[in-house]
Amino acid sequence: MITVEDVDFYIKGLFKFMLFGQELWITTTHVALLLLSIVLIVFMIVGHNVIKKADPMAKPKGLQNLLELFIQFIDNMTTGIMGKNAPRFRNWICAIFMFILFCNISGLFGFRPPTADYGVTLPLGLITFFLIQINGLKAKKMKHITELFKPSPILFPINLIGEVAVPLSLSLRLFGNIMSGTILLGLIYGLLPTAIKMGIPSVIHAYCDLFSGIIQVYVFSMLTMVYINQKISDE
């Protein structure tokens, strides 16, 4: 008989160690992040060599064609949202887009998506928050701070909460969507009889890991650009 104990959400501590008197664990999330980072680095090195050796007069094909399509997509997306500010942030948007994309779709390859761990999505949200504040200060100096008191000083607490809520909303949205897919797949793999779950997981993977994963990458990247552009735009 299948029970709840058979459900596995792939949250496992692999080994523990002591640091400054605190007990710390290396988990499946750390391993997945390490492996995905290595894959990303190798992919970038190979892609760089392919582009570097490519004949500019020849028709692109294979990996070169894929890379050019992706770069064109990033260029169009950043330019469409950030306008003249796009060149300054194109590399960062490309980096987080690829990182989150690889994390989200890693479930297709048997990993527990690292973005199903709030310890991964919160730092991404905090990095975006600090980028917003730093670029806002650089662009508007003290006006960036005084805008919190507009249109009335009474609204300062609300405006401040709105600023602090940015990293929380970004991180929780990404975490919640990916974690819900992980839980759903864990329940299907753990509770359904083998005869029934033969074809169902592939459909759920296609939605949770691929479709929803790509949508969440786009939403996170788009909101990052919108928040930053609002702070540095002259309009």
Side-chain angles (χ1 to χ4, degrees), residues 11-179:
I11 306 173
K12 298 178 180 178
L14 302 178
F15 65 88
K16 63 180 178 179
F17 61 96
M18 301 298 294
L19 182 65
F20 303 119
Q22 298 296 319
E23 180 182 294
L24 302 177
W25 282 86
I26 298 297
T27 68
T28 48
T29 298
H30 297 105
V31 174
L33 278 174
L34 176 62
L35 293 176
L36 289 172
S37 298
I38 293 173
V39 170
L40 267 173
I41 293 171
V42 172
F43 180 71
M44 290 296 99
I45 292 174
V46 173
H48 172 75
N49 291 331
V50 168
I51 296 298
K52 188 176 180 180
K53 297 177 181 178
D55 182 0
M57 303 304 296
K59 182 179 179 180
K61 57 183 180 180
L63 181 59
Q64 179 189 351
N65 194 34
L66 178 64
L67 289 171
E68 290 187 8
L69 284 173
F70 177 73
I71 296 302
Q72 185 179 20
F73 166 75
I74 294 295
D75 284 343
N76 292 338
M77 182 176 67
T78 53
T79 302
I81 295 177
M82 304 192 77
K84 64 181 181 180
N85 298 316
R88 293 172 54 192
F89 301 96
R90 186 182 293 122
N91 289 343
W92 168 246
I93 297 301
C94 181
I96 62 169
F97 192 98
M98 291 199 67
F99 175 76
I100 298 175
L101 176 64
F102 273 57
C103 287
N104 288 358
I105 67 174
S106 62
L108 294 172
F109 306 99
F111 293 103
R112 179 176 183 270
T115 39
D117 191 322
Y118 194 57
V120 174
T121 61
L122 179 59
L124 291 172
L126 289 174
I127 291 172
T128 294
F129 174 75
F130 286 118
L131 276 175
I132 294 170
Q133 303 307 319
I134 291 171
N135 284 281
L137 286 170
K138 288 174 64 177
K140 298 181 179 180
K141 304 300 188 290
M142 288 303 298
K143 185 180 177 182
H144 174 71
I145 298 176
T146 57
E147 283 181 344
L148 294 174
F149 297 89
K150 296 179 180 179
S152 170
I154 299 177
L155 297 178
F156 170 74
I158 298 176
N159 292 334
L160 183 62
I161 292 173
E163 293 292 324
V164 175
V166 168
L168 295 177
S169 64
L170 282 173
S171 58
L172 286 172
R173 181 184 292 107
L174 179 58
F175 164 73
N177 281 278
I178 304 303
M179 186 60 184

